[in-house]
Amino acid sequence: MSAPAPLRLGLIVIMACQMLLLTACGSQPSWQAISIATLSSDGLTLTVELLFGQPKPDGTYCEQVTDTDVLESSSQVVIGIQVVNTCAAPFPWEQRNTFDVGYIFPVKLNLKKPLGERAVLEKENRWPVRVKQPSGDS
């Protein structure tokens, strides 16, 4: 005896959704945690150094910046950098263990007005970002 047609259709939809989710596991962009940024001498650029894996033989990285966000107000600047790993395993159980040394990848975020006394927060959790001055002072 087979299941009623609506039940079969429902099960097919659920299985299709699960397959769609599983096939996209390794390639979803995510907003990076940012704890430190360096301010340019003119106060108009924040540079964040992300830690990427070793470059591939062609000089490109598995990680790619897919989006940046700078939201300015009179009292704060919220910054975000979204990254996707194009070399990630498509399924969580296929995670590759890598013991590579990290490579610094600078990302520049341009401000409309000099930072001045405004607080800098990271987009994902709204945590404070420490801003280093160009002279190395913080």
Side-chain angles (χ1 to χ4, degrees), residues 6 8-9 25 34 49 51 53 55 61 69 73-74 78 81-82 97 114 119 125 127-128 133:
R8 277 187 298 199
L9 180 60
C25 284
I34 300 170
E49 294 179 341
L51 203 58
Y61 291 88
D69 204 4
S73 73
S74 60
V78 179
I81 302 170
Q82 192 175 52
N97 291 326
N125 298 302
W127 289 336
Q133 300 301 320

Side-chain angles (χ1 to χ4, degrees), residues 1-2 5 19 25 27 29 32 35 54-55 64 67 70-71 76 78 85 90 93 111 113 130 137:
M1 181 173 202
S2 66
M19 289 301 291
C25 284
S27 60
Q32 301 297 294
S35 57
Q54 182 175 7
Q64 294 179 356
D67 195 8
V70 178
L71 303 169
Q76 65 186 21
V78 179
N85 185 338
W93 54 86
L111 306 178
K113 295 181 180 178
R130 191 179 91 177
D137 300 333

Side-chain angles (χ1 to χ4, degrees), residues 83-113:
V83 173
V84 65
N85 185 338
T86 60
C87 301
F91 300 106
W93 54 86
E94 292 181 352
Q95 287 294 341
R96 298 178 184 122
N97 291 326
T98 58
F99 300 100
D100 293 334
V101 174
Y103 289 79
I104 293 175
F105 188 86
V107 179
K108 294 188 181 295
L109 303 167
N110 297 316
L111 306 178
K112 293 176 183 170
K113 295 181 180 178

